[in-house]
Amino acid sequence: MKQTIIITGGAGFIGSHVVREFATKYPDYTIVNLDALTYAGNLENLKDVDHLPNYKFEKIDICDAQAVLEVFKKHQPTGVIHLAAESHVDRSIADPSAFVMTNVIGTVNLLNAAREIWNDASTGSAKGYEGKRFHHVSTDEVFGALGSEGFFTEDTKYDPHSPYSASKAASDHFVRAYHDTYGMPMVLTNCSNNYGPNHFPEKLIPLCIHNIINNKPLPIYGDGKYTRDWLFVIDHAKAIDLVFHQGKNGDCYNVGGFNEWQNIDLVKELCQQLDTKLGREPGTSAQLITFVKDRPGHDLRYAIDANKINKELGWYPSVTFEQGLAKTIDWFMDNQEWLNNVTSGDYQKYYDTQYQE
Ligand code: NAD
Ligand code: DAU
């Protein structure tokens, strides 16, 4: 079936991989990338696919309800894959309001627009919902923090701790509420930490790669024993493709890497691999490791049980962490101009305030 899919946040890290996956795999689909191009959005991330005849771009702020409705009326999407968000936990601690606006209000604006054009909100007719789907892309952070044992499943109770995760939890609840109240056809994915090309260097892995290359300190929050479950971003894009097409209406799917690392071990691994690539003496980059003030409300451990998506849809990560990390490091080494561009402007100002004791 031909489809027109609006992908929000398509100029960001994960969104750009989702746009690429859909635009290249489904030449019959029209892919509309709807993005406000905030500090995290970069059309350079799509330069290899933006010439494709089935790709379109609309610069829209999802907080602008009218603009969102107009763009939905213009393109008449059959599906929405919603990734646009404020995504960085540290920024949410510094300024929670932006997270409420984009992540909560922006999501509701998209749901309202989808309902309006699909369901004819004025009459309540459900006919228009046939063949339609709203895929909400969310995070494992909504489940809170684990101790040293156990995993998040789809049935784990929500327990967000940061303004970021609280805003994502609220958006998840709205998507489910629109399903239960108005019959909105939806699926929801909660994914663990992604890494890979185009990752904005405010997050741990790209920040450390950037700082190792430039001989800058590697800030480790607290004792560095915090644990994350890392997934290569292209495997997340493939999971979204599967769930969007084959997930059960109204269902949620956890997506994870089966790949837990304590931050300190991960950063040491990056140092080791980059010493080799940069021709440095073993142990050189590790000297950049600097323990800094902890993140307030820091969640100790995230770990996803991804057995549902594995059993029901046959998804499993296609690359090992070793392969994914090597591809990621190579990409950053080969794209230092991209790195220099995104780290100019306000970037340094943000980091100068971030790491002050
Ligand atoms: P990102 O910060 O790299 O990109 C976000 C994109 O959204 C940018 O292109 C930005 O311009 C756009 N955007 C922000 N505010 C907007 C607005 N008001 N209107 C329109 N566009 C706007 O984020 P990411 O890391 O690619 O994450 C994408 C999604 O996946 C988010 O919803 C995030 O919660 C979720 N997620 C991320 C991870 C991760 O590890 N990065 C893991 C699980 C889930
Ligand atoms: O779990 C999924 C989430 O992963 C996504 O929903 C978020 O959008 C994404 O940003 C990410 O959140 P984290 O807070 O886990 O990612 P971050 O890269 O910011 O931090 C990873 C770990 O590293 C965390 O324990 C904090 C720590 N850290 C981070 C930075 C930026 C440091 O020790 N030093 C740092 O400089």
Side-chain angles (χ1 to χ4, degrees):
M1 191 187 94
K2 282 197 172 191
Q3 293 225 40
T4 296
I5 303 175
I6 287 186
I7 298 181
T8 73
F13 165 47
I14 303 171
S16 60
H17 291 280
V18 176
V19 166
R20 182 174 298 102
E21 183 76 14
F22 276 72
T24 54
K25 187 168 172 190
Y26 304 107
D28 284 354
Y29 290 10
T30 300
I31 304 302
V32 184
N33 171 16
L34 196 157
D35 199 297
L37 301 182
T38 67
Y39 78 95
N42 186 351
L43 290 176
E44 275 288 293
N45 295 348
L46 292 163
K47 65 175 192 287
D48 56 326
V49 289
D50 63 5
H51 64 282
L52 293 176
N54 64 337
Y55 170 79
K56 294 180 169 42
F57 173 65
E58 295 277 4
K59 186 170 187 297
I60 298 282
D61 183 342
I62 60 168
C63 300
D64 182 344
Q66 196 53 39
V68 169
L69 182 56
E70 274 163 25
V71 89
F72 271 60
K73 283 184 173 162
K74 176 176 163 191
H75 292 286
Q76 294 291 323
T78 47
V80 176
I81 303 178
H82 175 34
L83 297 108
E86 289 291 340
S87 68
H88 191 37
V89 173
D90 293 330
R91 286 182 191 258
S92 83
I93 294 165
D95 176 18
S97 301
F99 287 71
V100 177
M101 290 309 296
T102 289
N103 299 359
V104 186
I105 308 289
T107 300
V108 172
N109 288 341
L110 291 164
L111 288 165
N112 284 341
R115 185 176 164 230
E116 175 88 23
I117 65 153
W118 291 343
N119 186 37
D120 186 358
S122 58
T123 64
S125 154
K127 262 206 217 133
Y129 279 151
E130 281 161 25
K132 309 294 194 307
R133 175 150 280 193
F134 190 104
H135 183 149
H136 183 56
V137 177
S138 192
T139 170
D140 60 358
E141 300 205 8
V142 298
F143 299 123
L146 292 163
S148 53
E149 305 264 298
F151 295 91
F152 297 134
T153 73
E154 287 77 3
D155 296 325
T156 301
K157 256 179 73 180
Y158 275 33
D159 182 23
H161 297 141
S162 72
Y164 163 69
S165 53
S167 69
K168 290 296 290 186
S171 69
D172 293 11
H173 289 317
F174 271 103
V175 175
R176 284 202 196 89
Y178 272 58
H179 174 73
D180 295 349
T181 308
Y182 307 118
M184 172 69 67
M186 51 73 59
V187 280
L188 202 160
T189 40
N190 295 95
C191 189
S192 64
N193 287 61
N194 287 214
Y195 70 97
N198 302 120
H199 204 180
F200 194 83
E202 63 188 351
K203 312 278 168 65
L204 182 68
I205 288 183
L207 173 76
C208 287
I209 295 175
H210 172 257
N211 287 10
I212 292 170
I213 293 172
N214 293 289
N215 271 309
K216 289 181 163 178
L218 308 176
I220 307 288
Y221 298 166
D223 60 5
K225 301 252 167 78
Y226 296 91
T227 301
R228 298 292 182 264
D229 171 5
W230 294 94
L231 175 68
F232 191 54
V233 62
I234 293 172
D235 279 323
H236 187 189
K238 288 181 190 300
I240 289 172
D241 176 19
L242 267 181
V243 173
F244 177 78
H245 286 101
Q246 295 174 37
K248 209 168 123 227
N249 182 23
D251 252 16
C252 304
Y253 297 84
N254 282 358
V255 185
F258 302 92
N259 178 39
E260 289 183 53
W261 282 78
Q262 284 194 345
N263 295 337
I264 185 66
D265 295 336
L266 177 56
V267 173
K268 283 183 181 164
E269 178 72 22
L270 287 170
C271 289
Q272 218 172 50
Q273 294 210 16
L274 272 147
D275 277 347
T276 309
K277 297 261 180 207
L278 294 164
R280 293 179 184 164
E281 282 292 310
T284 309
S285 302
Q287 290 169 25
L288 298 166
I289 290 175
T290 311
F291 290 90
V292 299
K293 194 173 67 178
D294 209 348
R295 173 186 278 175
H298 201 164
D299 288 332
L300 178 65
R301 175 172 164 258
Y302 303 144
I304 280 276
D305 176 343
N307 280 308
K308 176 175 171 179
I309 187 171
N310 174 246
K311 287 207 175 83
E312 290 187 13
L313 305 179
W315 176 89
Y316 195 79
S318 68
V319 294
T320 63
F321 191 53
E322 200 185 355
Q323 293 165 332
L325 206 57
K327 279 178 200 266
T328 304
I329 291 173
D330 286 347
W331 186 87
F332 278 100
M333 299 274 290
D334 294 345
N335 288 274
Q336 291 194 40
E337 203 183 323
W338 181 94
L339 208 44
N340 292 337
N341 286 343
V342 302
T343 52
S344 59
D346 278 349
Y347 177 88
Q348 205 51 53
K349 208 163 62 190
Y350 173 71
Y351 279 97
D352 288 346
T353 50
Q354 182 72 11
Y355 299 121
Q356 271 166 14
E357 283 294 318

